[in-house]
Amino acid sequence: MTSANSVANPKISSLFQPLQVGAVQLRNRLVMAPLTRGRAGKERIPNELMQEYYTQRASAGLIISEATQISEEGAGWSQSPGIHTEEQVKGWQKITQAVHKQGGLIYLQLWHTGRASHPYFQPNGQIPVSASAIKAEGDAYTEEGKKPYVTPRALELSEIPRVIQDYVNATKRAQAAGFDGVEIHAANGYLIDQFIRDGSNKRTDAYGGSIENRLRFLMEITEAVVKTWSSDRVGVRLSPMNPFNDMHDSNPIATFTQASEALNQFNLAYLHILEALPGHMLAAEGERVGPHMRKAFNGIFIVNGGYDAVKGAAAIDNNQADLVAYGVPFIANPDLPQRYRTDASLNEADPSTFYTHEPKGYTDYPAL
């Protein structure tokens, strides 16, 4: 038997050290990664089922919520939640209160899907927006099944302030909903990432061409969100090598090292990167970008992608990260920190239920 504070495997003890992250103190270094699930119903209002799911996982050092659309235009996934109506704020309030009651901490991830949407989701069936009018290979998940992505239209220069304002409004609503902070979703082939990477950004104005120009949209959004709340309540997520949503960049090391350096000016709560370890299904070939980003960024650094307890602790011990985000392990193991602490066996996740709309595969995984 291990006592509440001891760890069965001393090799992973660094996962259980507390850490000050921006304005909040984390009780352990295990972060619940943002996980798109699709349980918010057609109205996209956070509900009791979601409250149960997040409360079950409140022992994470920090929960980063599933990606949450900042506007109707930002939607691109069946039954994902929003943060652009008062009803959605009220739904989230119940969730943050329940998580806090368990001693947990929770950030809201701010999401605009950009071209990774479909007219099916858009107001009046309009064409989705992006950095450039370049269609992504792949499909949108709709109520009527998968629908192939369409060619988006490039955001006009005159529209960019409106989109930035949507991030500001969502940040204010996240504050009102009782979150501990927000994470700007600039990863995985969604709108901000579409501006950052040159495979999807062929603009010739101030938001395209050079790395500095391609980062401009991210920088302006981050500046606006930080001003709206506070730098110690804001994180950013990037995915330098993730090909998801048909994404690529001609020089990811240069692009994302410069992004990490540029973000230093905001004194953020953290920088969170998805770069899967070798052998993981999302792993990319070639030199890893994360170590360059770690060196360039002055603040708290979160890694994500294929880590277990031992690999996660090693990343902290070797100064490759300060925190480790776990995705699939948290889906299947609501009490993941306790299981790691006591060296207990893990539940196996069922991928066939990841994006369904029922409690099965969501709130029915057993705790120890």
Side-chain angles (χ1 to χ4, degrees):
M1 282 292 286
T2 54
S3 73
N5 294 317
S6 64
V7 180
N9 179 358
K11 278 186 180 169
I12 67 161
S13 60
S14 52
L15 282 177
F16 294 94
Q17 293 163 357
L19 184 68
Q20 188 71 30
V21 177
V24 295
Q25 169 102 357
L26 275 55
R27 54 182 159 183
N28 60 54
R29 307 289 183 101
L30 287 90
V31 174
M32 178 172 156
L35 295 156
T36 299
R37 303 306 305 274
R39 260 65 172 201
K42 291 179 184 175
E43 298 301 308
R44 303 184 181 278
I45 298 169
N47 52 38
E48 285 180 8
L49 183 63
M50 289 170 60
Q51 181 180 326
E52 184 184 357
Y53 167 78
Y54 283 110
T55 309
Q56 285 174 343
R57 289 156 180 80
S59 63
L62 174 66
I63 294 172
I64 302 168
S65 82
E66 64 205 278
T68 301
Q69 65 192 48
I70 58 168
S71 62
E72 214 183 330
E73 178 192 80
W77 197 277
S78 173
Q79 299 192 27
S80 58
I83 188 75
H84 49 91
T85 71
E86 284 313 304
E87 290 75 25
Q88 289 165 346
V89 171
K90 284 176 187 158
W92 279 121
Q93 271 170 346
K94 292 175 183 166
I95 293 172
T96 62
Q97 284 165 6
V99 168
H100 290 149
K101 208 171 173 181
Q102 299 290 326
L105 296 165
I106 183 166
Y107 266 46
L108 181 76
Q109 193 187 51
L110 304 175
W111 194 30
H112 190 308
T113 60
R115 72 178 187 179
S117 183
H118 189 275
Y120 174 89
F121 293 117
Q122 294 293 312
N124 308 316
Q126 68 195 27
I127 297 292
V129 299
S130 185
S132 299
I134 300 171
K135 176 181 175 292
E137 292 300 314
D139 306 288
Y141 282 81
T142 78
E143 307 291 333
E144 298 164 4
K146 290 182 179 181
K147 291 182 185 283
Y149 290 139
V150 300
T151 301
R153 66 174 185 83
L155 268 174
E156 302 282 342
L157 274 176
S158 60
E159 294 179 284
I160 286 176
R162 164 183 71 74
V163 178
I164 294 171
Q165 187 60 42
D166 287 338
Y167 279 92
V168 167
N169 295 343
T171 301
K172 288 176 180 169
R173 290 196 174 101
Q175 272 182 285
F179 284 94
D180 297 291
V182 291
E183 177 176 281
I184 297 167
H185 192 351
N188 300 356
Y190 298 113
L191 182 63
I192 300 173
D193 199 22
Q194 291 158 27
F195 272 82
I196 295 172
R197 295 202 247 184
D198 60 14
S200 48
N201 183 344
K202 304 295 183 190
R203 298 175 77 99
T204 55
D205 58 18
Y207 292 86
S210 68
I211 295 173
E212 185 181 4
N213 281 1
R214 285 183 278 120
L215 293 175
R216 190 180 307 276
F217 189 53
L218 168 64
M219 294 301 146
E220 290 179 351
I221 290 167
T222 306
E223 182 177 21
V225 168
V226 161
K227 275 183 180 164
T228 302
W229 197 338
S230 171
S231 62
D232 58 3
R233 299 278 185 179
V234 179
V236 168
R237 190 177 211 224
L238 298 169
S239 59
M241 298 289 277
N242 190 2
F244 185 64
N245 282 323
D246 197 21
M247 294 298 290
H248 55 91
D249 188 82
S250 62
N251 192 343
I253 290 177
T255 298
F256 288 91
T257 302
Q258 193 165 324
S260 306
E261 279 170 358
L263 287 168
N264 283 326
Q265 66 188 286
F266 300 114
N267 198 23
L268 297 170
Y270 63 77
L271 175 60
H272 178 189
I273 72 154
L274 170 64
E275 186 176 36
L277 292 171
H280 190 271
M281 63 179 181
L282 292 176
E285 288 176 19
E287 188 182 349
R288 290 178 65 75
V289 185
H292 297 274
M293 296 172 72
R294 169 66 162 167
K295 213 169 170 183
F297 187 68
N298 296 335
I300 298 289
F301 197 70
I302 308 178
V303 292
N304 174 225
Y307 290 84
D308 58 16
V310 172
K311 288 172 183 167
I316 294 169
D317 294 338
N318 298 327
N319 197 31
Q320 294 160 352
D322 302 291
L323 297 162
V324 183
Y326 294 91
V328 172
F330 260 118
I331 289 179
N333 300 277
D335 54 350
L336 186 68
Q338 180 63 5
R339 286 175 185 265
Y340 279 170
R341 188 190 281 282
T342 58
D343 213 8
S345 60
L346 300 183
N347 298 324
E348 198 68 38
D350 176 6
S352 72
T353 61
F354 284 179
Y355 307 122
T356 53
H357 306 311
E358 297 79 38
K360 182 173 164 38
Y362 189 61
T363 52
D364 61 350
Y365 286 104
L368 281 173

